[in-house]
Amino acid sequence: MKKTNIIKVILLAVSVAIIVPLWGTFHSYATVERAWVAFISAAVFFAAGHKLKDIVNVALSHILGMFWGMGVLYVMQQNLIDVNAVVYSLIVLAVFGFFSVIVTSLNIKIISHTPSLFAGWAVAFAAFGGTEIADWKDISIDVGLALVIGVVVVGTGISQLHLLLMKLFKVAEEGEEAETVPDKKAAAAADKKAAPKAKTAEKAAKPAKSKADLKTESYIASYASEDTVEVQNSEYENNIQELKSTINDLRNVLSTRAAAPSGGSGRSYADERVKILGICGSPHKKGSTINYLKKALEAAQEIGNVEVELVELAGKEIHPCMGCKSDKCGGTCRIDDFMQELYPKLRECDGMILASPSYFGTFSGQLKLFLDRLRVMRHSNFELGNKVVGTLAVAGRRHGGQEITNIDLIQSMMRHNTIIVNDGTAVCQLGATGWSHTFDDPSIQSETDDYGMQTAVGVGKRVAEVAKVIKSSGLQNITYQYNQQIGKR
């Protein structure tokens, strides 16, 4: 490799080492979550020659490719033709692949770059595959911005910084070196073919260039390069204005991401989808506790876009926690029982309602086993952190220990950094308080306990409401580090 080429490679490496880390570190300030998409679009732009006049063409071809990929995924989910799933996928991909080339070959200037369309298509498959169509709107804003930024900021930044460094170090562009430095191999070949007299005449007519002449030609080439850069900069400014206008149009169509809180999903409260888990700690499958819990989950569903699941601990095998050391209790509990089915559900849910009968003023033994085995989730960086929790307790009398049972459940879950809510009603209890028929009046059933059922409804709605607010604000994973210096002996 020639010395000049080595310098070019080094300067390009320096440009990448400056621009790429800057984007990788500070992309969050641009409210772009999928930063990796920008690196893909930047790489395609660079491979295409990284010319400033192609910025709009490449960027909008990326956007077209993204929507093209979304269209493919949508059609593949519809099963429009009654054929084998593999055959159907082949047909859909073949049709879209064929027309993607046709569309980018119609000489429509702003969407005529086929490699960029295919790159956007691939990004769409990676970003939208496996997600619900209802979530595509928000993802498309984030991915679209990342694709555009990858070209305008990352790719262009590397390209322009590389050119600037080459000018500073006076490294000739490709083609200039061939004009200013004689090609020794070509000259040698010509000398062998030419007759001795012709060779002598050529040397007399065209004497060898001196070092001073070569240096002068180098300066002339340098000035010519500067003129070219000025023309490119003028085109660049025009393209940037056109690109800004296009981005504004896209934002108006897809809605403005800036309206959402930082780190949030960008959806409104009503549109946010959450899942609420109801855990029944009663040993009776047909007891009063489960009736109140079902009422709470039904109330949660009435909020809209709320998925609920009821989990009964009655009859399930849950072994006591062994109190393993923290280095063995992180990520996966080694005890193989019903809890292994519950851990994924607990990680997936956005909120939960814990329900228990009041036994001697506290919750049941079944629920105690369940709560103890949550230790593994606490030791795994608080996996239940910021999930919303409501409590429900049932006793044989109106004031038969429900409040204390709720308090015990609340203080247990607070140690997981969860968000505790009450029943949210005017009376504002610690949680739902049901009254079974066991003692005072055997004729009373849980279904006829209007007051208790109202508190259950309040807890269900409150858990769902707050879970929606937390998820739409993007606060699910926010934690605060403990200062190790505080409280030392």
Side-chain angles (χ1 to χ4, degrees), residues 32 34 37-38 40-42 58-59 61-67 116 119-121 123-124 140-152:
V32 176
R34 295 166 178 81
V37 174
I40 295 175
S41 60
V58 174
S61 295
H62 279 312
I63 299 296
L64 174 62
M66 179 188 73
F67 285 109
S116 296
W121 184 348
V123 167
S140 64
I141 298 174
D142 190 74
V143 173
L145 287 176
L147 286 169
V148 173
I149 290 173
V151 176
V152 177

Side-chain angles (χ1 to χ4, degrees), residues 111-240:
I111 53 169
S112 61
H113 195 251
T114 306
S116 296
L117 183 140
F118 279 107
W121 184 348
V123 167
F125 267 58
F128 297 91
T131 62
E132 296 182 6
I133 295 178
D135 299 330
W136 284 9
K137 177 181 177 181
D138 302 304
I139 298 175
S140 64
I141 298 174
D142 190 74
V143 173
L145 287 176
L147 286 169
V148 173
I149 290 173
V151 176
V152 177
V153 178
V154 182
T156 305
I158 294 172
S159 174
Q160 294 305 297
L161 181 58
H162 186 217
L163 289 175
L164 178 61
L165 292 175
M166 288 176 64
K167 286 183 63 177
L168 291 176
F169 288 88
K170 297 180 180 179
V171 180
E173 291 277 353
E174 286 187 20
E176 293 176 2
E177 186 177 83
E179 295 176 4
T180 58
V181 180
D183 191 335
K184 295 181 179 179
K185 291 183 179 180
D191 289 343
K192 289 181 180 180
K193 292 181 180 180
K197 291 183 179 180
K199 184 187 292 186
T200 304
E202 185 180 352
K203 288 183 178 180
K206 296 182 179 180
K209 295 179 182 180
S210 65
K211 291 184 178 180
D213 292 334
L214 292 174
K215 191 171 184 180
T216 301
E217 289 183 4
S218 177
Y219 282 138
I220 293 172
S222 177
Y223 283 118
S225 177
E226 290 179 359
D227 294 338
T228 303
V229 171
E230 289 180 2
V231 173
Q232 288 179 338
N233 286 339
S234 177
E235 293 179 356
Y236 171 74
E237 291 176 359
N238 293 333
N239 289 335
I240 286 297

Side-chain angles (χ1 to χ4, degrees), residues 268-285:
S268 67
Y269 161 86
D271 295 334
E272 196 64 63
R273 299 180 64 85
V274 295
K275 180 174 182 178
I276 307 301
L277 208 59
I279 308 293
C280 183
S282 173
H284 304 292
K285 292 186 176 182

Side-chain angles (χ1 to χ4, degrees), residues 39 145 161 172 182 334 489:
F39 294 130
L145 287 176
L161 181 58
R334 64 182 182 179
R489 298 192 179 198

Side-chain angles (χ1 to χ4, degrees), residues 257-314:
R257 183 184 179 85
S262 177
S265 66
R267 294 198 198 100
S268 67
Y269 161 86
D271 295 334
E272 196 64 63
R273 299 180 64 85
V274 295
K275 180 174 182 178
I276 307 301
L277 208 59
I279 308 293
C280 183
S282 173
H284 304 292
K285 292 186 176 182
K286 296 183 179 181
S288 298
T289 302
I290 197 168
N291 291 333
Y292 288 100
L293 181 55
K294 287 179 179 178
K295 190 69 173 179
L297 293 176
E298 289 173 4
Q301 280 186 304
E302 292 175 0
I303 299 296
N305 286 327
V306 177
E307 179 186 355
V308 300
E309 182 176 354
L310 174 63
V311 176
E312 297 182 68
L313 302 184

Side-chain angles (χ1 to χ4, degrees), residues 195-439:
K197 291 183 179 180
K199 184 187 292 186
T200 304
E202 185 180 352
K203 288 183 178 180
K206 296 182 179 180
K209 295 179 182 180
S210 65
K211 291 184 178 180
D213 292 334
L214 292 174
K215 191 171 184 180
T216 301
E217 289 183 4
S218 177
Y219 282 138
I220 293 172
S222 177
Y223 283 118
S225 177
E226 290 179 359
D227 294 338
T228 303
V229 171
E230 289 180 2
V231 173
Q232 288 179 338
N233 286 339
S234 177
E235 293 179 356
Y236 171 74
E237 291 176 359
N238 293 333
N239 289 335
I240 286 297
Q241 293 301 323
E242 184 179 351
L243 188 59
K244 285 182 178 179
S245 176
T246 304
I247 290 174
N248 287 331
D249 292 340
L250 285 172
R251 284 177 172 173
N252 291 334
V253 173
L254 299 176
S255 81
T256 304
R257 183 184 179 85
S262 177
S265 66
R267 294 198 198 100
S268 67
Y269 161 86
D271 295 334
E272 196 64 63
R273 299 180 64 85
V274 295
K275 180 174 182 178
I276 307 301
L277 208 59
I279 308 293
C280 183
S282 173
H284 304 292
K285 292 186 176 182
K286 296 183 179 181
S288 298
T289 302
I290 197 168
N291 291 333
Y292 288 100
L293 181 55
K294 287 179 179 178
K295 190 69 173 179
L297 293 176
E298 289 173 4
Q301 280 186 304
E302 292 175 0
I303 299 296
N305 286 327
V306 177
E307 179 186 355
V308 300
E309 182 176 354
L310 174 63
V311 176
E312 297 182 68
L313 302 184
K316 299 298 191 296
E317 183 182 20
I318 301 179
H319 296 293
C321 177
M322 301 300 292
C324 304
K325 293 182 179 179
S326 60
D327 60 340
K328 296 180 180 179
C329 190
T332 304
C333 179
R334 64 182 182 179
I335 302 175
D336 186 13
D337 57 9
F338 181 63
M339 287 301 297
Q340 299 301 333
E341 297 182 27
L342 289 187
Y343 288 134
K345 298 179 186 291
L346 292 167
R347 294 185 179 99
E348 179 187 10
C349 76
D350 302 290
M352 64 185 79
I353 302 172
L354 302 180
S356 174
S358 179
Y359 288 173
F360 291 92
T362 188
F363 46 81
S364 67
Q366 285 80 358
L367 203 53
K368 174 60 175 171
L369 290 171
F370 165 81
L371 293 172
D372 285 350
R373 292 286 299 285
L374 296 183
R375 183 175 188 265
V376 66
M377 305 191 78
R378 189 175 191 272
H379 282 226
S380 301
N381 196 27
F382 293 90
E383 290 185 283
L384 298 178
N386 287 337
K387 294 184 186 293
V388 183
V389 174
T391 61
L392 188 159
V394 180
R397 292 190 172 93
R398 175 60 66 202
H399 301 288
Q402 294 97 325
E403 290 84 357
I404 299 175
T405 300
N406 280 329
I407 289 173
D408 288 347
L409 289 171
I410 288 170
Q411 67 87 17
S412 294
M413 295 309 298
M414 285 183 69
R415 296 182 63 80
H416 287 275
N417 198 30
T418 56
I419 297 174
I420 309 297
V421 298
N422 54 21
D423 64 348
T425 62
V427 292
C428 203
Q429 299 297 314
L430 291 169
T433 54
W435 182 10
S436 70
H437 66 278
T438 308
F439 295 114

